[in-house]
Amino acid sequence: MIKDFSELVTYLSKRSRLKYKVFHVSSCSSTQDLAMSLFEEGYGEGLVVVSDEMSSGRGRLGRRWSATSGGLWFTLVLTPPKLTNIQILSLGIASSVAKALRELYEIKAVVKWPNDVLVNEKKISGVLIEGKKNVKTALFVGVGVNVNNEIPAELREKAVSVKEILNQEVSRVPLLAKILQFIEETYFKLLEDRSNEVLKEWCDLTETLGRKVRVTTINEVIEGVAVNVAPDGSLIVEDSAKIKHVIYSGDVIHLT
């Protein structure tokens, strides 16, 4: 069992197709920003930036992400050699986190469209993918998992941590290793045109499909039943008039 981040590269190199380089820092503004800076300095695919805490962590749509000590906050850099569907990758990253939590701790984690991981309807993890084009396109896969960190009082009705569920602290290193293993599997499935497998896995892990939801997009609010995900990863919601809406971006709330 690996015990600290210094052992992570050696552990991963024996099992991985990617060549990993791990930067572990005690604090930074954002692992996304630090990974982008290191990428500009010449670090490439397989770079992993882990921080014990972040002062300016961010989630989707520029929202602030509370990233205090004890959580698992990291960014993985990917440089796909061909055009990659970011939406499906995002779904696959969320599935990777849920699978890792299930395998390591027997926590019944599920995924919510587009990229949240929930336990008993409370958020335990979120995903943010940002892109940057230099000589080649780089994807910065940011993942935050509530592990041993204290959930702020104002978020306790909506968020939960591994520590809270298990009533004990756990090591973040094995969790990171397992998540990276599953992310890598997802990534190569997409590169090998096996996105249908990624979508099926997400569908098997989600509690969004078949439920009544409210989706808030930039332009409107839609209520209906989430009936499926399309081949491109978009969510299909059928309203009370039996009209099907294809959602490419938005916030989903489970109503039932």
Side-chain angles (χ1 to χ4, degrees):
M1 175 70 72
I2 48 175
K3 297 180 180 179
D4 58 55
F5 292 107
S6 65
E7 300 174 358
L8 193 58
V9 172
T10 301
Y11 174 86
L12 292 171
S13 65
K14 298 175 181 178
R15 298 163 174 80
S16 309
R17 295 163 70 177
L18 292 177
K19 294 182 179 179
Y20 289 98
K21 175 69 176 179
V22 178
F23 275 80
H24 175 216
V25 297
S26 59
S27 179
C28 68
S29 60
S30 161
T31 58
Q32 293 287 88
D33 293 340
L34 181 51
M36 289 178 185
S37 295
L38 291 169
F39 178 74
E40 292 293 337
E41 292 177 14
Y43 291 92
E45 185 169 73
L47 171 67
V48 181
V49 176
V50 189
S51 186
D52 294 337
E53 57 185 8
M54 298 188 293
S55 59
S56 302
R58 61 181 179 272
R60 292 176 58 245
L61 306 176
R63 296 185 180 118
R64 184 180 181 277
W65 181 277
S66 176
T68 55
S69 180
L72 177 59
W73 325 118
F74 74 93
T75 295
L76 167 66
V77 177
L78 299 174
T79 56
K82 63 178 183 178
L83 190 63
T84 302
N85 185 308
I86 304 301
Q87 182 65 67
I88 297 178
L89 176 61
S90 183
L91 296 178
I93 302 299
S95 297
S96 298
V97 176
K99 286 168 57 183
L101 292 170
R102 285 170 172 252
E103 183 170 315
L104 290 180
Y105 314 120
E106 298 183 352
I107 291 174
K108 191 183 176 183
V110 299
V111 291
K112 184 183 82 168
W113 193 93
N115 50 24
D116 287 344
V117 183
L118 308 179
V119 178
N120 296 325
E121 289 296 323
K122 291 186 176 183
K123 188 169 180 175
I124 197 168
S125 176
V127 176
L128 173 67
I129 300 180
E130 297 176 304
K132 196 168 189 178
K133 192 163 183 64
N134 195 340
V135 177
K136 62 175 72 174
T137 299
L139 300 178
F140 299 85
V141 179
V143 178
V145 187
N146 295 324
V147 183
N148 302 316
N149 53 302
E150 293 297 322
I151 305 297
E154 66 272 17
L155 298 177
R156 286 176 188 161
E157 290 186 0
K158 298 180 180 179
V160 70
S161 68
V162 174
K163 176 184 175 181
E164 184 179 343
I165 296 167
L166 300 181
N167 291 315
Q168 65 180 37
E169 291 195 356
V170 300
S171 172
R172 296 171 298 155
V173 185
L175 178 57
L176 176 56
K178 185 60 66 174
I179 293 173
L180 290 174
Q181 174 192 326
F182 287 138
I183 289 177
E184 185 175 326
E185 291 175 4
T186 294
Y187 179 54
F188 282 102
K189 284 177 184 176
L190 293 180
L191 295 183
E192 294 162 3
D193 298 319
R194 297 157 57 200
S195 60
N196 59 313
E197 296 179 27
V198 178
L199 288 174
K200 182 183 183 306
E201 188 167 63
W202 184 89
C203 289
D204 289 342
L205 288 166
T206 192
E207 290 188 351
T208 296
L209 299 184
R211 297 178 68 165
K212 187 175 182 181
V213 298
R214 178 185 298 123
V215 184
T216 303
T217 70
I218 295 177
N219 301 314
E220 60 185 337
V221 177
I222 300 166
E223 286 193 12
V225 176
V227 294
N228 207 348
V229 284
D232 64 359
S234 56
L235 183 68
I236 301 173
V237 176
E238 184 176 272
D239 65 21
S240 57
K242 302 301 181 183
I243 297 173
K244 290 184 178 179
H245 303 261
V246 181
I247 312 297
Y248 294 99
S249 177
D251 286 331
V252 172
I253 297 176
H254 292 162
L255 298 178
T256 58

